[in-house]
Amino acid sequence: MSHPEQSRHLATAIPGPRSQALIDRKGTAVARGVGTTMPVYAVRAGGGIVEDVDGNRLIDLGSGIAVTTVGNSAPKVVEAVRSQVGDFTHTCFMVTPYEGYVAVCEQLNRLTPVRGDKRSALFNSGSEAVENAVKIARSHTHKPAVVAFDHAYHGRTNLTMALTAKVMPYKDGFGPFAPEIYRAPLSYPFRDAEFGKELATDGELAAKRAITVIDKQIGADNLAAVVIEPIQGEGGFIVPADGFLPTLLDWCRKNDVVFIADEVQTGFARTGAMFACEHEGIDPDLIVTAKGIAGGLPLSAVTGRAEIMDSPHVSGLGGTYGGNPIACAAALATIETIESEGLVARAQQIEKIMKDRLGRLQAEDDRIGDVRGRGAMIAMELVKAGTTEPDADLTKALCAGAHAAGVIVLSCGTYGNVVRFLPPLSIGDDLLNEGLDVLEEVLRGA
Ligand SMILES: *Cc1c(COP(=O)(O)O)cnc(C)c1O
């Protein structure tokens, strides 16, 4: 194992010559549709650093999109994967099952904020797990319709493209999409403020607005499930106003509608709780997890109330690779790492550092319209100075400036004007602060 030295270092311009050569090879070998955020090619990563082929060491404020929450090549994960890969790599759980799969399900049932007797099923990607959650909800309710929300992101497969809100780049030209998917208004405090202070701060009111749309345009008798991210990821790290999620859940319970929390991005200690639903005091019927679940190996899950999870007939759920033994070993080691290293508390510390600094920056820069998020999932929404008009150009310039200076940051948001921070919880305070220093400097100059 060789973690890179924990310091930012620019050996060449970004990208350096070796990355440039790989960019050229990509251009003639990889389909154009697969884009990249950074113009550099990685060779090793760990702690809070990603090192590239030219010897540049970049501060990682992205975690490969909220995946390496416990850090890249976290020691326990590496050890568990090495051991499993030597024993067996695959038998297919549906053919010759193995303990790791059952053990991951037991851990998910223990950790998730779902009430009562629980069951889990494992898949490969977040999208695949969201699709399976919808299958399970339809099987349980015998109803067809599904509601997703404005700004939602649930994946890139056909059903999840239909659930995802934003057309570019996720859906444009890729239809027709799955039927019986409907969209309801979200609680988006920063933008709802344009429609009155009450809507921005009163989550119950925002929920009533959504419920009216659901009631009048779909009807509970036709509705199998509501799918929602407790804090939106790609949509812009939108934290709904207090009361929004509990009011929605309450309506679902009264109307035989399955409440599905998509915690693919928010799960596994990312937000300063094991799951973001805990901040809202809600217990969803089904909870979908992926990204941070297995320290970088592809794994996803649906966990939920036993009577719902057990609705599909025997062999109705599955997949060749779902719950692959190596990914399961990595997930068990990831969970052990989160618990033994106190990473939930670490995410809370990171929130404090980032919110303090970004809050101070916002006080002196009226291009920062909003600073929000929880734990190590923090964003700032950039606007034309002193207005609420989104500034996507400034966002692009800021990200590009940070990248050139050796800091990996991502943007997101419906309007492309949100800079998001998803540092690995293994990052040191010094690197985190240095990353924010760079950002501050680039923003001042932009
Ligand atoms: C990333 C993401 C997905 C899709 O996961 P994939 O593994 O990319 O298929 C679904 N929902 C949310 C909230 C996500 O952030």
Side-chain angles (χ1 to χ4, degrees), residues 125-128 130 153-155 229 233-234 262 264-265 290-291:
S125 68
S127 311
E128 193 188 358
V130 170
Y153 182 85
H154 298 291
E229 302 153 84
E234 311 301 300
D262 179 348
V264 168
Q265 193 153 156
K291 292 200 166 96

Side-chain angles (χ1 to χ4, degrees), residues 78-113:
V78 171
E79 200 184 300
V81 165
R82 283 217 169 112
S83 162
Q84 179 58 49
V85 97
D87 289 343
F88 65 97
T89 49
H90 172 89
T91 57
C92 186
F93 189 74
M94 301 181 302
V95 177
T96 315
Y98 39 87
E99 183 182 354
Y101 189 116
V102 178
V104 170
C105 291
E106 287 168 348
Q107 292 297 325
L108 287 165
N109 297 347
R110 174 174 71 86
L111 292 168
T112 45

Side-chain angles (χ1 to χ4, degrees), residues 191-251:
R191 302 232 155 255
D192 284 348
E194 291 170 33
F195 305 101
K197 196 161 177 206
E198 219 183 331
L199 191 63
T201 52
D202 184 348
E204 212 173 305
L205 187 66
K208 280 184 185 146
R209 177 175 64 164
I211 289 165
T212 302
V213 168
I214 297 169
D215 244 344
K216 299 302 167 200
Q217 297 183 22
I218 308 145
D221 289 349
N222 303 304
L223 185 59
V226 161
V227 185
I228 190 161
E229 302 153 84
I231 299 173
Q232 279 195 341
E234 311 301 300
F237 284 22
I238 303 164
V239 184
D242 276 348
F244 180 74
L245 290 169
T247 305
L248 206 57
L249 174 62
D250 189 49
W251 180 87

Side-chain angles (χ1 to χ4, degrees), residues 227-293:
V227 185
I228 190 161
E229 302 153 84
I231 299 173
Q232 279 195 341
E234 311 301 300
F237 284 22
I238 303 164
V239 184
D242 276 348
F244 180 74
L245 290 169
T247 305
L248 206 57
L249 174 62
D250 189 49
W251 180 87
C252 287
R253 287 272 150 80
K254 288 184 177 130
N255 289 280
D256 182 34
V257 171
V258 176
F259 186 99
I260 303 172
D262 179 348
E263 290 235 26
V264 168
Q265 193 153 156
T266 50
F268 292 96
R270 174 55 58 187
T271 66
M274 201 63 176
F275 295 97
C277 284
E278 296 166 36
H279 298 294
E280 311 284 340
I282 57 166
D283 57 312
D285 297 316
L286 301 181
I287 181 160
V288 181
T289 52
K291 292 200 166 96
I293 191 174

Side-chain angles (χ1 to χ4, degrees), residues 94-387:
M94 301 181 302
V95 177
T96 315
Y98 39 87
E99 183 182 354
Y101 189 116
V102 178
V104 170
C105 291
E106 287 168 348
Q107 292 297 325
L108 287 165
N109 297 347
R110 174 174 71 86
L111 292 168
T112 45
V114 173
R115 207 171 294 170
D117 205 14
K118 297 177 229 181
R119 298 287 185 276
S120 292
L122 305 183
F123 306 96
N124 299 291
S125 68
S127 311
E128 193 188 358
V130 170
E131 293 227 4
N132 276 278
V134 169
K135 280 164 69 173
I136 292 163
R138 283 178 170 155
S139 167
H140 177 71
T141 58
H142 305 288
K143 297 190 281 187
V146 178
V147 160
F149 286 80
D150 286 336
H151 315 289
Y153 182 85
H154 298 291
R156 293 175 182 261
T157 58
N158 188 264
L159 177 63
T160 58
M161 271 194 295
L163 294 167
T164 290
K166 195 176 176 180
V167 66
M168 258 326 236
Y170 307 121
K171 302 165 73 163
D172 193 51
F174 298 147
F177 304 111
E180 288 301 321
I181 307 293
Y182 301 87
R183 198 165 304 286
L186 185 77
S187 164
Y188 187 163
F190 178 65
R191 302 232 155 255
D192 284 348
E194 291 170 33
F195 305 101
K197 196 161 177 206
E198 219 183 331
L199 191 63
T201 52
D202 184 348
E204 212 173 305
L205 187 66
K208 280 184 185 146
R209 177 175 64 164
I211 289 165
T212 302
V213 168
I214 297 169
D215 244 344
K216 299 302 167 200
Q217 297 183 22
I218 308 145
D221 289 349
N222 303 304
L223 185 59
V226 161
V227 185
I228 190 161
E229 302 153 84
I231 299 173
Q232 279 195 341
E234 311 301 300
F237 284 22
I238 303 164
V239 184
D242 276 348
F244 180 74
L245 290 169
T247 305
L248 206 57
L249 174 62
D250 189 49
W251 180 87
C252 287
R253 287 272 150 80
K254 288 184 177 130
N255 289 280
D256 182 34
V257 171
V258 176
F259 186 99
I260 303 172
D262 179 348
E263 290 235 26
V264 168
Q265 193 153 156
T266 50
F268 292 96
R270 174 55 58 187
T271 66
M274 201 63 176
F275 295 97
C277 284
E278 296 166 36
H279 298 294
E280 311 284 340
I282 57 166
D283 57 312
D285 297 316
L286 301 181
I287 181 160
V288 181
T289 52
K291 292 200 166 96
I293 191 174
L297 276 86
L299 186 73
S300 65
V302 183
T303 301
R305 288 164 51 201
E307 70 271 24
I308 300 174
M309 288 298 294
D310 283 340
S311 297
H313 48 275
V314 173
S315 298
L317 303 176
T320 305
Y321 292 111
N324 167 275
I326 303 165
C328 285
L332 294 171
T334 296
I335 291 164
E336 201 189 313
T337 301
I338 291 170
E339 294 191 323
S340 67
E341 293 182 8
L343 294 186
V344 169
R346 177 62 187 148
Q348 294 164 3
Q349 287 169 356
I350 288 175
E351 170 173 351
K352 190 164 175 348
I353 293 170
M354 289 207 290
K355 278 203 172 151
D356 276 359
R357 290 204 52 167
L358 296 174
R360 267 184 279 138
L361 196 60
Q362 183 187 23
E364 60 185 57
D365 192 333
D366 58 3
R367 296 172 299 172
I368 302 176
D370 196 21
V371 173
R372 59 176 179 252
R374 293 191 201 274
M377 184 173 179
I378 303 291
M380 54 184 189
E381 179 157 357
L382 300 179
V383 292
K384 300 268 160 67
T387 72

